Amino acid sequence: MDQNNRRRTDLEVASFDSGEPGFDRARMRRQSGGFVDLGNESQYGTGGHQASGANEIFADVQGDVPWWKSNFFISQPVLFGTWDGVFTSCLINIFGVIVFLRSGWMVGQAGLVNAVLIVFFTVFVALISVLSAVGICERCRIESGGVYFLLAHTLGSRMGGALGMVYCFGQAVGCALNVFGFGESMASLVGTDNTWAARGFAVSAVLLLGTINVAGVKWVIKLQFVLLLIILVAALDFFVGSFTTVPDVEFKGWLGGTIGNNTWADYQDGYTWFKCFGVFFPTITGILAGINMSGDLRNPSINIPNGSLAAISTGTFLYLMFVITLAATVTREALLTNFSITADMSAVKILLLAGLYVSSMSSCLGAMYGTPRVLQSISNEKVIPGLEVLGHGRGPNRVPIYSMIVVAVVTVTFIIIGDINKLAPIVTMPFLITYASIDYSYFALAQTFDLQHRREMRFQGHSQRDPQVYGATGSDLDLLFPERIRHKTVGDFTPSPTDSAIMNGRTSNGEVRPAINVHSKNKNWYSHLCNRWLSLAGVAIKLLLMFLVHWMYAIGCLLILWLLWLYIGAANPAVKPGRASEFRFFHWLKISFLQAIGKRPLEYEQLVVTPVHADVSMEQERLNDDNEDFASRRRYHQSTALQTHLVSVDS
């Protein structure tokens, strides 16, 4: 009897596993009688053949399954870890075609010193946003949706939807930039300078990579391992070639004395330091690729920080290796005019060309994987009316077919426009505004945590109502407002096992309570790097860079973001607020200014009380926002702003 019940439970889980949106296996395995342990099943089916996974939920049902079916078709969601899911995805996205085709040009324009500064500043700008995203992952439980989830969960679905659409546009244009570099290289390989030939190769690559993405994330990850290996071999081939290649007119070798002539800037054709930065910056924009895989990771809060920081460290080393080697071995004239100089000076040219082709395709592969999933999340949450069709998915991992088609159409459109130097500044704007928003999100989230902390401290120690359930500091208000109970110790309060259960959202009798909104920092090795003030500085840096790189593109990007924000507010006014909605930036700015000039700001908290105090004036105010749905209702609630010395709290 138990075995039959066990089998029925497994099949019920499997039915949920196969198709429902927003599937959460941990939640669906939780049954009324407790938890269903699927981890101890035998890894072999009844027919004696190994199932496609150790925890294959159909292992007792499928029996003999052909090897080609169990290996090539996915019957359950596939989850990945730090190195196979995040590190690989990030590195193949941040080591793209620009490193191979424009590193030398950047050195020729800006010189070695400025080129190194551009590399470090590019990494620094991206690193601030990575640390901000890591901080959000620590303070909030991250789910599927990647960048959109971070922004919508923190700033609200209205701003998150607008920023998510801008980010998707930037990813699609970035994909066009990278794959167009592949088209240029292929056209040069076959001996033609025809621009339309390069565009044809690029479009063919988009179609191929789209087909691979349709096959499923399992094949994307497997292909990424192969592509990363080829890229690293190409980088090694380039460095070895700088020692072994015979010097000629353009390549002088390490002892040719070119580094002295390439040390300082010699800008031409109207380029400046910031314009060179705008051309190089898109190479780092793939650093959020690991975050976009959040729905396919085993433990996103751990996998994303470790994988992203390891990838950005490796990428920085490779950037500097290319820049320094080119400055020390190639003449300035060749750097400015010969975009394929890295291939000419390599030890085995075919290996370098393979790395060039792969870097172009791998960046596009990552963009075509992550971007449609961001669109899918926006669609599934119904943030923007009319996009519901983009939320449909295929297979256990819910591959977003329609979203992929939209991204591919935008990519092909900008491939037809062509020209890497023209596309790069366009790509830079959406990413800079997205990164600035992530930085602000972490700052607002940290400030919100402080607001909650101060509010909870005011109520600390008011009652001994139920010490067995709520500990020494519990109060009867905690019964009505469980969000007041902190998720970590406050003061001298040591939580009991029951307290811990309440803090995690479940009491000893099984009653579910709301979870805490914002958590404190964890004590991981990278936690101290997540600094709210560094994130706030990152917001100012990125907004300033947008205008320094190309002020017209910057205004256009901000205008599009504002129009999207207005449209979402008008078409869908009931979107969810974010966890940082309690923090108001301009109010905080006003208070900070008053404190800076020595004035004490008057802060008050709105209280709902009964009109029984004769000496206190009351005013009617509806606590909900003005909305036509509530226009017919009377304004029942009465409230007033009181100074703290006029109110005594008696619990």
Side-chain angles (χ1 to χ4, degrees), residues 101-119:
L101 295 182
R102 292 298 184 270
S103 293
W105 173 87
M106 182 178 67
V107 173
Q109 290 278 357
L112 175 61
V113 174
N114 286 302
V116 171
L117 289 177
I118 289 174
V119 169

Side-chain angles (χ1 to χ4, degrees), residues 263-590:
T263 301
W264 304 108
D266 184 18
Y267 298 112
Q268 300 180 13
D269 301 326
Y271 280 95
T272 63
W273 192 95
F274 288 103
K275 288 186 176 180
C276 291
F277 167 82
V279 172
F280 185 77
F281 182 78
T283 195
I284 199 70
T285 53
I287 194 58
L288 298 182
I291 297 176
N292 289 334
M293 288 196 62
S294 58
D296 297 305
L297 299 176
R298 298 188 189 96
N299 190 348
S301 297
I302 299 298
N303 302 147
I304 289 174
N306 290 321
S308 298
L309 294 176
I312 201 170
S313 301
T314 306
T316 303
F317 170 77
L318 294 174
Y319 296 158
L320 294 175
M321 185 188 76
F322 269 72
V323 167
I324 295 173
T325 302
L326 288 168
T329 59
V330 182
T331 63
R332 185 179 290 269
E333 293 74 16
L335 293 174
L336 290 171
T337 58
N338 188 357
F339 294 154
S340 61
I341 187 64
T342 55
D344 295 339
M345 60 181 288
S346 61
V348 183
K349 187 174 183 179
I350 191 172
L351 291 179
L352 197 287
L353 291 176
L356 174 61
Y357 302 148
V358 164
S359 65
S360 304
M361 297 184 67
S362 62
S363 299
C364 185
L365 177 66
M368 292 193 68
Y369 170 79
T371 309
R373 280 160 175 77
V374 175
L375 274 178
Q376 186 183 40
S377 296
I378 298 175
S379 304
N380 285 335
E381 292 196 9
K382 298 179 174 58
V383 176
I384 302 178
L387 298 182
E388 289 79 5
V389 67
L390 300 182
H392 296 308
R394 167 185 172 273
N397 279 77
R398 299 195 56 76
V399 178
I401 303 295
Y402 297 113
S403 296
M404 284 183 184
I405 294 175
V406 171
V407 173
V409 169
V410 176
T411 300
V412 171
T413 301
F414 280 89
I415 287 175
I416 295 175
I417 295 175
D419 195 345
I420 291 178
N421 286 22
K422 291 181 179 179
L423 289 178
I426 298 177
V427 176
T428 299
M429 298 303 157
F431 283 105
L432 282 176
I433 190 64
T434 302
Y435 290 172
S437 301
I438 293 176
D439 294 340
Y440 175 76
S441 297
Y442 178 67
F443 174 76
L445 200 66
Q447 293 293 106
T448 300
F449 175 82
D450 289 348
L451 292 175
Q452 293 179 357
H453 175 70
R454 288 197 296 268
R455 181 170 60 247
E456 293 166 1
M457 289 296 293
R458 288 203 303 270
F459 295 101
Q460 199 67 19
H462 287 321
S463 175
Q464 305 292 329
R465 178 75 176 180
D466 194 355
Q468 291 185 350
V469 177
Y470 291 100
T473 61
S475 70
D476 54 350
L477 291 178
D478 295 332
L479 294 170
L480 297 176
F481 305 104
E483 63 272 12
R484 293 177 46 190
I485 304 173
R486 292 184 54 76
H487 68 285
K488 70 185 189 72
T489 58
V490 177
D492 297 329
F493 172 53
T494 302
S496 65
T498 306
D499 299 321
S500 301
I502 295 175
M503 295 172 190
N504 287 294
R506 185 174 293 272
T507 61
S508 59
N509 61 0
E511 180 184 357
V512 178
R513 297 187 181 275
I516 299 301
N517 283 335
V518 183
H519 302 287
S520 64
K521 283 185 179 180
N522 295 327
K523 295 183 179 180
N524 297 311
W525 67 270
Y526 48 77
S527 297
H528 67 282
L529 299 176
C530 304
N531 185 281
R532 73 183 70 182
W533 306 111
L534 181 63
S535 297
L536 183 61
V539 177
I541 291 173
K542 292 174 178 66
L543 292 178
L544 180 62
L545 283 175
M546 289 179 63
F547 288 91
L548 291 175
V549 171
H550 203 296
W551 67 270
M552 292 184 64
Y553 288 166
I555 293 176
C557 183
L558 292 174
L559 180 61
I560 292 173
L561 178 64
W562 180 65
L563 292 175
L564 285 170
W565 183 80
L566 289 179
Y567 172 73
I568 295 174
N572 191 5
V575 292
K576 295 184 297 184
R579 290 195 174 189
S581 58
E582 186 175 345
F583 172 72
R584 293 174 295 168
F585 178 76
F586 291 105
H587 177 70
W588 169 80
L589 205 61
K590 176 184 175 181

Side-chain angles (χ1 to χ4, degrees), residues 86-357:
V86 180
F87 177 80
T88 304
S89 300
C90 288
L91 191 56
I92 68 170
N93 276 276
I94 67 175
F95 196 71
V97 64
I98 292 179
V99 180
F100 287 99
L101 295 182
R102 292 298 184 270
S103 293
W105 173 87
M106 182 178 67
V107 173
Q109 290 278 357
L112 175 61
V113 174
N114 286 302
V116 171
L117 289 177
I118 289 174
V119 169
F120 277 120
F121 192 64
T122 299
V123 173
F124 175 71
V125 169
L127 183 61
I128 294 177
S129 295
V130 171
L131 293 175
S132 298
V134 168
I136 296 174
C137 292
E138 283 199 317
R139 293 179 180 269
C140 299
R141 184 175 65 89
I142 188 171
E143 300 172 1
S144 62
V147 172
Y148 165 71
F149 176 82
L150 293 182
L151 295 172
H153 203 58
T154 308
L155 302 179
S157 296
R158 184 180 183 183
M159 181 58 72
L163 288 166
M165 295 299 294
V166 172
Y167 173 77
C168 290
F169 173 79
Q171 281 277 43
V173 179
C175 181
L177 182 149
N178 285 288
V179 80
F180 187 75
F182 168 78
E184 280 186 346
S185 301
M186 289 298 297
S188 176
L189 184 65
V190 299
T192 177
D193 295 330
N194 191 328
T195 305
W196 285 103
R199 292 168 181 166
F201 284 119
V203 171
S204 301
V206 171
L207 296 177
L208 174 62
L209 296 176
T211 303
I212 295 173
N213 272 280
V214 170
V217 64
K218 178 179 179 181
W219 292 104
V220 172
I221 298 299
K222 286 184 176 181
L223 182 61
Q224 282 182 348
F225 272 117
V226 178
L227 299 182
L228 179 60
L229 180 61
I230 296 175
I231 291 175
L232 295 179
V233 170
L236 179 63
D237 174 58
F238 164 78
F239 189 67
V240 171
S242 66
F243 291 96
T244 60
T245 302
V246 178
D248 55 20
V249 177
E250 295 181 337
F251 173 74
K252 299 297 184 180
W254 285 92
L255 301 178
T258 59
I259 194 169
N261 187 46
N262 293 333
T263 301
W264 304 108
D266 184 18
Y267 298 112
Q268 300 180 13
D269 301 326
Y271 280 95
T272 63
W273 192 95
F274 288 103
K275 288 186 176 180
C276 291
F277 167 82
V279 172
F280 185 77
F281 182 78
T283 195
I284 199 70
T285 53
I287 194 58
L288 298 182
I291 297 176
N292 289 334
M293 288 196 62
S294 58
D296 297 305
L297 299 176
R298 298 188 189 96
N299 190 348
S301 297
I302 299 298
N303 302 147
I304 289 174
N306 290 321
S308 298
L309 294 176
I312 201 170
S313 301
T314 306
T316 303
F317 170 77
L318 294 174
Y319 296 158
L320 294 175
M321 185 188 76
F322 269 72
V323 167
I324 295 173
T325 302
L326 288 168
T329 59
V330 182
T331 63
R332 185 179 290 269
E333 293 74 16
L335 293 174
L336 290 171
T337 58
N338 188 357
F339 294 154
S340 61
I341 187 64
T342 55
D344 295 339
M345 60 181 288
S346 61
V348 183
K349 187 174 183 179
I350 191 172
L351 291 179
L352 197 287
L353 291 176
L356 174 61
Y357 302 148

Side-chain angles (χ1 to χ4, degrees), residues 604-618:
Y604 64 89
E605 185 173 3
Q606 197 170 46
L607 304 175
V608 180
V609 299
T610 56
V612 295
H613 303 283
D615 57 338
V616 176
S617 61
M618 307 295 295

